[in-house]
Each structure stands twice: as C-alpha cells, then as structure tokens.
Amino acid sequence: MSDQAGSIDFWELKRSRREVFSLSVSSFHSRDRSEQTGIIWSEVLFLSSGNQSFYLISQCRNGNVYFFQMEANKEMRSYHSEDCRLIVKVETNFTAFCKCDLLSTERNHSLVVPADENGSCFFWVYPNVADVVLKVESASKLEIACPTQYGLAMSAKLALIEGMLRIVAAFEIGAVVVFCCDSKAVLTKISLQPDEQNPCTLTCLACNRDCSTIAVGSVENHIQIISLRHSTSHPNSSQLELTKAKTVSLPKPGVSCLEFRPDDDRLLISAGWDSTIRYFSSRTYKTFAVLDGLHTSTVVALRFHGKTLFSACKDGKVASWSLFCE
C-alpha cells in the first residue's frame, strides 16, 4: 500500500494481516519541501523465485520513478528500513495522472513509464526491466511519442498481443490508442467522444489476458467496452481494429479504476468517485454485486491476489473482498 505522504506499507496477509514494514520514499526526495512526495503507483518485482530479496518500483507525483532493492534479514523472514537500498532513480518530468505499468511473464518483465519531454507526452518502455535494476549498461529504453491531438495520457497498459509487446493507452480527449513498441508507431485507434462539442475525458482502462477486450472508464456515468480484432475490411492482413462493443451504464459519474479478474477474465470490477465497487459478468456485463459502505471516498486502486480483491481508497483504508472466489 502506498499513500499521499510518500510512504509504502507492507502487510503480512497469510496470518496476522498486520503492517510489518513501512518505507518512506519521501526521504529519498530532494530536500526541497515544496516537492510533491505522494506516491501514485508501486509494484514489487521478483527476479528469482528462490531468493527472498526483491525489487520495489515506485512512481511519485514529483515525476520520479524509484527502483529499490530489498534484502531479507538473517532469518529471511522480515524486512527493515536498513534492508532497503535505492539503486536507480528515473526522472520523467511527468506529473499528471497516468501510472506506470509492469507486465510480467515467465520469460521477462517489461515496464512502461509516462514521461514529459519539453512539454510533449512520451511513453518510455523498458522491454527488460531486470537490466535496469541490475544496472546493465546495454539496458534498452524505447521512446514512443504520443499524438498531441489527444491531450495527456491518462492510463496505459502493456500487453502481449499475438506475442508482440504493445501499449494500450487512454487519452484525455476521448481516444484509445494501441502502439507497437518495436516500430514506435500507432497500430490502431478509436475515439470515444460522443461529439466535438461534448469531449469525454477518459480516466482508466483495463485489458483482459489476450487484450481482445478493453474496458474504458471516464468522468461520465458509463464504462465503454471495446473489442480488438483483425480488421474486417482487410481479412487477410494482420491489421488490428478497435470497435465499440457495449456501453455499461452506471448510476453515478466518475470511474477511477477497472480490473479484469486475471486468472479467468470472467469478472470485470469497477470502482468510482462515489466509493462504490461493482462486479460485472464479463460475458453479459450485468451487475453481480455492489460493494458499498466501507470506503468513504474515491477508490484509487484495485488489485487481485489470487481470487481475493484488494481495494485502496483516498480515505486511507485498504479492504480485501472474497466474493465469487469459487
């Protein structure tokens, strides 16, 4: 769990469900007290299943992305502040809303980082983030320019589409764009604006496992479901095409998070400004359950661990939910 004060808290989940360690990322910032220290995204990276050490990647509101190495203590059971070491700091100058995303497979770990270069939005892609944390001199970084007509990037996800690394991104002025990481080109795009006079600001997106279905949230009171398929106008080509598949209505506006259940894609979960979490069937998109009353503010993160859902809220609470685990 990370917070606006610049701290990352670690919890033991199997038995006590208590906080066991807290890391103050703000202590690694500049001494300038005006610098924003809030954390908007963090992820744990294990490079070896047999090693108790791991890496922590943290994206902060000051535009920096920090890579920490965590070493287990002698008992190999817990971690302390002295076990943490900052190994890499990446300065992006990006201080808007878009979060980093880490894609882990059996063979590799890839990272996308939003960046600002001279006022223009870019995606920096590290195809093998292990090279970054291990300080390999030949570590590669791909720079992909975002189309300026779509405004700021609001959400970005890495995906393997037909075995190739792609970025699926939602933009401020209502566009969803798929980028090829190798060629750095736009593969396909779609506008979700109802009309030019009523721009729709997108806020988040989620992809199922093969990226054939993309759920997109916005400041409006609905979720847009998009299909990614080979172009029907060019059936014999490899050209991809985004098409609108369905609109899922919500009682209140403002979608802050979306997540497909990762092990089977059977559920889509949304969370919003109204502090409510909703479960949908990913086949019919009918509501299965509404979780309300625990959070009191905007839900800022959703994450599955197995089939248990964890939610984090601006009110400082983290909740675990065990609905539909069978």
Side-chain angles (χ1 to χ4, degrees):
M1 173 188 173
S2 54
D3 61 27
Q4 299 300 312
S7 295
I8 300 176
D9 302 319
F10 295 80
W11 295 69
E12 196 282 319
L13 296 178
K14 290 185 178 180
R15 296 180 297 274
S16 64
R17 296 209 168 193
R18 293 181 178 178
E19 181 182 341
V20 294
F21 173 65
S22 181
L23 170 65
S24 176
V25 178
S26 59
S27 64
F28 294 91
H29 293 330
S30 164
R31 294 185 179 181
D32 179 5
R33 293 180 180 272
S34 65
E35 195 172 68
Q36 301 182 73
T37 59
I39 298 170
I40 63 174
W41 177 88
S42 57
E43 185 65 80
V44 170
L45 173 64
F46 287 94
L47 296 183
S48 174
S49 59
N51 193 342
Q52 292 293 326
S53 300
F54 64 90
Y55 297 90
L56 176 69
I57 309 172
S58 176
Q59 178 190 12
C60 298
R61 292 199 179 279
N62 64 358
N64 292 338
V65 178
Y66 297 89
F67 295 78
F68 299 94
Q69 184 174 13
M70 302 292 298
E71 296 286 353
N73 65 1
K74 293 180 181 180
E75 289 77 23
M76 304 293 280
R77 294 177 181 176
S78 62
Y79 300 84
H80 305 286
S81 57
E82 59 269 22
D83 303 320
C84 176
R85 181 169 61 94
L86 176 64
I87 53 175
V88 178
K89 181 177 78 170
V90 176
E91 298 181 0
T92 71
N93 297 315
F94 188 89
T95 57
F97 300 99
C98 187
K99 301 176 182 178
C100 299
D101 187 50
L102 180 70
L103 176 66
S104 295
T105 66
E106 293 181 357
R107 299 173 55 188
N108 201 7
H109 307 274
S110 302
L111 179 72
V112 60
V113 177
D116 185 314
E117 296 184 7
N118 300 318
S120 298
C121 186
F122 279 75
F123 289 126
W124 293 350
V125 179
Y126 298 90
N128 187 3
V129 75
D131 290 345
V132 178
V133 297
L134 297 177
K135 296 185 177 181
V136 177
E137 291 185 2
S138 59
S140 61
K141 181 182 77 172
L142 308 175
E143 297 188 4
I144 300 173
C146 300
T148 57
Q149 66 267 33
Y150 301 137
L152 285 173
M154 302 297 286
S155 182
K157 300 292 183 183
L158 282 175
L160 282 178
I161 301 176
E162 298 178 338
M164 303 298 290
L165 189 62
R166 311 292 193 220
I167 301 173
V168 183
F171 286 86
E172 183 181 18
I173 310 179
V176 175
V177 183
V178 180
F179 297 89
C180 173
C181 293
D182 289 336
S183 67
K184 305 178 184 179
V186 173
L187 293 178
T188 184
K189 59 184 183 294
I190 189 172
S191 175
L192 299 181
Q193 290 193 83
D195 54 69
E196 293 184 359
Q197 285 70 37
N198 297 287
C200 175
T201 300
L202 305 184
T203 55
C204 57
L205 62 80
C207 308
N208 66 353
R209 286 176 296 176
D210 63 2
C211 211
S212 60
T213 301
I214 303 167
V216 185
S218 70
V219 298
E220 307 297 333
N221 61 338
H222 57 253
I223 300 168
Q224 296 275 10
I225 306 299
I226 302 172
S227 294
L228 178 62
R229 300 285 190 274
H230 286 290
S231 174
T232 55
S233 58
H234 302 85
N236 296 322
S237 75
S238 59
Q239 184 175 340
L240 296 172
E241 183 178 43
L242 290 167
T243 57
K244 297 179 184 179
K246 190 176 183 64
T247 299
V248 182
S249 298
L250 300 171
K252 294 182 180 180
V255 183
S256 55
C257 306
L258 290 165
E259 191 80 17
F260 283 96
R261 191 165 72 177
D263 61 342
D264 56 13
D265 289 335
R266 292 175 62 185
L267 296 174
L268 172 66
I269 293 84
S270 76
W273 298 351
D274 63 353
S275 73
T276 299
I277 298 171
R278 299 177 184 275
Y279 279 65
F280 299 92
S281 162
S282 59
R283 183 176 62 85
T284 64
Y285 294 100
K286 292 183 178 179
T287 304
F288 269 154
V290 178
L291 311 179
D292 197 4
L294 181 59
H295 293 307
T296 59
S297 184
T298 301
V299 178
V300 295
L302 296 171
R303 178 63 60 88
F304 273 97
H305 179 70
K307 291 188 177 181
T308 300
L309 175 70
F310 289 85
S311 59
C313 180
K314 277 188 175 180
D315 60 14
K317 293 179 181 177
V318 176
S320 64
W321 312 88
S322 298
L323 279 75
F324 305 111
C325 282
E326 297 301 325

